[in-house]
Amino acid sequence: MSRDSLPPILASLIRQARRVAEEVNCIATVMLADVSYDFREIQQLLKQTQLIVASAVPAVVEAAKADLVAVVPLNQEPQTRQVQLSQALLEAIADNLVKTGDRVMALYSGYERDTIDTLSIINLSERLARLTARDLQRLETQVPLGTLRRVVDLAVEIGREGRESKRVGTLFVVGNHRKVLDMSHEQIHDPFKGYAKKERMISNARVRESIKELSQIDGAFVIASDGCVMAAGRILDAPAEDLTLSKGLGARHWAAAAISKATNSIAIAVSESTGTVRLFQNGTVVLRIEPMMQAMKWHDVDTEPPQE
């Protein structure tokens, strides 16, 4: 198996990481890797600090396994480094490699894609915002995991980022879409009406961006089990009977609870006031996800030449 030798700068960074990890009591070092390095050598440089390799590249995952190093496979969908790191930490927690309350070191490419150049110290907390697959697999639903995870991740992004610097609340109903449509009515002209199915799939990045933009309108998005957006701006008519919700939850959450109970669907509500995402099944909250800080993004910077 072909391996890349450690660049001198990376080797130096790892040695510094070891010193910092020892000084601040880091339990492990999580490396986001897109290249198959000699991970045994990296573990030796880190000495007593455990190395955890996280990667979306199958060859890197196999290389880490061959070197008997702990590994966390990542989704292959394009993501920011911060989102990838969040996923890596959550999966590491799910695999009992680290636990909430631990302090870990992270090594990753902050600026150049194939060059690990950034070191961060992270205190793991209960407020990580994304889900592992295991969280969703615990739900007993006919909705495929891939569809559910895409919708949940989109809801988390809306809760975290809002729209145009403003907080946004919205609602998704996933699965059993025919019954959901029967128990709802149109609030506005449906912006998805008339488009071909392939142009309404939530796996499409353009569709997800459209949903973010449309999340400011009233009403719910209705999504089929296969991930096709069936309607937007729907007002839900399910009766809110025999439901018990926490104090402080508003009409959107009551509607989510009611429709999930009446239609055996999964309803996902984003709170406008806090960005918190709640998943409802059979009328009750089954998962709650707190927003994390805004994801790292690149911005163009306007500069002016110095005055002579």
Side-chain angles (χ1 to χ4, degrees), residues 60 108 112 139 146:
V60 175
Y108 53 96
E112 299 293 336
L139 301 180

mmCIF file with all atom_site columns, all heavy atoms in Angstrom, residues 60 108 112 139 146:
data_model
loop_
_atom_site.group_PDB
_atom_site.id
_atom_site.type_symbol
_atom_site.label_atom_id
_atom_site.label_alt_id
_atom_site.label_comp_id
_atom_site.label_asym_id
_atom_site.label_entity_id
_atom_site.label_seq_id
_atom_site.pdbx_PDB_ins_code
_atom_site.Cartn_x
_atom_site.Cartn_y
_atom_site.Cartn_z
_atom_site.occupancy
_atom_site.B_iso_or_equiv
_atom_site.pdbx_formal_charge
_atom_site.auth_seq_id
_atom_site.auth_comp_id
_atom_site.auth_asym_id
_atom_site.auth_atom_id
_atom_site.pdbx_PDB_model_num
ATOM 1  N N   . VAL A 1 60  ? -7.508  5.976  2.795  1.00 0.00 ? 60  VAL A N   1
ATOM 2  C CA  . VAL A 1 60  ? -6.942  6.458  4.064  1.00 0.00 ? 60  VAL A CA  1
ATOM 3  C C   . VAL A 1 60  ? -7.501  5.642  5.225  1.00 0.00 ? 60  VAL A C   1
ATOM 4  O O   . VAL A 1 60  ? -6.772  5.263  6.156  1.00 0.00 ? 60  VAL A O   1
ATOM 5  C CB  . VAL A 1 60  ? -7.233  7.953  4.255  1.00 0.00 ? 60  VAL A CB  1
ATOM 6  C CG1 . VAL A 1 60  ? -6.747  8.429  5.626  1.00 0.00 ? 60  VAL A CG1 1
ATOM 7  C CG2 . VAL A 1 60  ? -6.565  8.774  3.156  1.00 0.00 ? 60  VAL A CG2 1
ATOM 8  N N   . TYR A 1 108 ? -5.701  19.231 11.302 1.00 0.00 ? 108 TYR A N   1
ATOM 9  C CA  . TYR A 1 108 ? -6.461  19.229 10.056 1.00 0.00 ? 108 TYR A CA  1
ATOM 10 C C   . TYR A 1 108 ? -5.920  20.282 9.097  1.00 0.00 ? 108 TYR A C   1
ATOM 11 O O   . TYR A 1 108 ? -5.082  21.123 9.465  1.00 0.00 ? 108 TYR A O   1
ATOM 12 C CB  . TYR A 1 108 ? -7.946  19.467 10.318 1.00 0.00 ? 108 TYR A CB  1
ATOM 13 C CG  . TYR A 1 108 ? -8.258  20.697 11.144 1.00 0.00 ? 108 TYR A CG  1
ATOM 14 C CD1 . TYR A 1 108 ? -8.592  21.899 10.525 1.00 0.00 ? 108 TYR A CD1 1
ATOM 15 C CD2 . TYR A 1 108 ? -8.213  20.662 12.530 1.00 0.00 ? 108 TYR A CD2 1
ATOM 16 C CE1 . TYR A 1 108 ? -8.875  23.031 11.279 1.00 0.00 ? 108 TYR A CE1 1
ATOM 17 C CE2 . TYR A 1 108 ? -8.494  21.778 13.293 1.00 0.00 ? 108 TYR A CE2 1
ATOM 18 C CZ  . TYR A 1 108 ? -8.821  22.960 12.658 1.00 0.00 ? 108 TYR A CZ  1
ATOM 19 O OH  . TYR A 1 108 ? -9.094  24.089 13.402 1.00 0.00 ? 108 TYR A OH  1
ATOM 20 N N   . GLU A 1 112 ? -4.793  24.791 3.195  1.00 0.00 ? 112 GLU A N   1
ATOM 21 C CA  . GLU A 1 112 ? -4.480  24.032 1.985  1.00 0.00 ? 112 GLU A CA  1
ATOM 22 C C   . GLU A 1 112 ? -5.057  22.634 2.114  1.00 0.00 ? 112 GLU A C   1
ATOM 23 O O   . GLU A 1 112 ? -4.852  21.962 3.128  1.00 0.00 ? 112 GLU A O   1
ATOM 24 C CB  . GLU A 1 112 ? -2.968  23.947 1.781  1.00 0.00 ? 112 GLU A CB  1
ATOM 25 C CG  . GLU A 1 112 ? -2.300  25.305 1.599  1.00 0.00 ? 112 GLU A CG  1
ATOM 26 C CD  . GLU A 1 112 ? -2.707  26.000 0.314  1.00 0.00 ? 112 GLU A CD  1
ATOM 27 O OE1 . GLU A 1 112 ? -3.121  25.276 -0.614 1.00 0.00 ? 112 GLU A OE1 1
ATOM 28 O OE2 . GLU A 1 112 ? -2.611  27.237 0.241  1.00 0.00 ? 112 GLU A OE2 1
ATOM 29 N N   . LEU A 1 139 ? -34.515 5.247  15.905 1.00 0.00 ? 139 LEU A N   1
ATOM 30 C CA  . LEU A 1 139 ? -35.904 5.562  15.627 1.00 0.00 ? 139 LEU A CA  1
ATOM 31 C C   . LEU A 1 139 ? -36.530 4.434  14.814 1.00 0.00 ? 139 LEU A C   1
ATOM 32 O O   . LEU A 1 139 ? -35.973 3.988  13.819 1.00 0.00 ? 139 LEU A O   1
ATOM 33 C CB  . LEU A 1 139 ? -36.008 6.872  14.833 1.00 0.00 ? 139 LEU A CB  1
ATOM 34 C CG  . LEU A 1 139 ? -35.415 8.112  15.482 1.00 0.00 ? 139 LEU A CG  1
ATOM 35 C CD1 . LEU A 1 139 ? -35.613 9.315  14.567 1.00 0.00 ? 139 LEU A CD1 1
ATOM 36 C CD2 . LEU A 1 139 ? -36.022 8.378  16.845 1.00 0.00 ? 139 LEU A CD2 1
ATOM 37 N N   . GLY A 1 146 ? -30.743 7.521  5.109  1.00 0.00 ? 146 GLY A N   1
ATOM 38 C CA  . GLY A 1 146 ? -30.115 8.557  4.300  1.00 0.00 ? 146 GLY A CA  1
ATOM 39 C C   . GLY A 1 146 ? -30.996 9.781  4.143  1.00 0.00 ? 146 GLY A C   1
ATOM 40 O O   . GLY A 1 146 ? -30.528 10.920 4.260  1.00 0.00 ? 146 GLY A O   1
#
